[in-house]
Amino acid sequence: MAEGEVDGTQGRDEREKANEALGRLDATEVARAVSAFARENPHVALAAAAGLGFLLGGGLTPRVLSRLGSLATRSYVKGSLAHVVGTLLDEQARSQSQLGSSP
């Protein structure tokens, strides 16, 4: 069996398992669970509903995706640089204190 055939078989098996699991779900139980979650966490439920409505309404255009990616990248780089600079400063302070305390 070729590698592509193995991947296809695994994908089919996973889809069958997912369909089987979804078939065992009871719609009324799912509705009760979602309703209970929404009552306990109304802000999260509203945010999820707004996000889902935005996605289903076609709001996730390539331009929006580009901006979101840019924002996420900037945030990640900023946090990473802050971590690296903080680590370097800590190491430098430690080495300075070790030099000052040596006889």
Side-chain angles (χ1 to χ4, degrees):
M1 217 189 259
E3 184 178 326
E5 293 174 3
V6 172
D7 290 342
T9 304
Q10 288 174 348
R12 246 181 277 121
D13 290 344
E14 290 173 4
R15 280 192 300 272
E16 288 173 6
K17 286 179 185 177
N19 286 335
E20 186 179 312
L22 286 174
R24 283 185 263 136
L25 286 176
D26 181 22
T28 55
E29 187 62 34
V30 171
R32 276 191 213 124
V34 169
S35 179
F37 178 82
R39 271 190 238 104
E40 292 171 8
N41 307 296
H43 294 100
V44 175
L46 284 173
L52 187 59
F54 179 76
L55 291 175
L56 292 176
L60 205 55
T61 62
R63 186 175 180 187
V64 172
L65 278 174
S66 172
R67 287 186 180 173
L68 286 174
S70 175
L71 178 67
T73 302
R74 256 187 270 140
S75 176
Y76 174 76
V77 169
K78 183 179 177 181
S80 296
L81 285 176
H83 177 72
V84 168
V85 169
T87 303
L88 288 174
L89 290 175
D90 287 345
E91 288 179 10
Q92 185 179 18
R94 247 185 276 130
S95 67
Q96 290 292 330
S97 67
Q98 287 175 352
L99 288 175
S101 65
S102 58

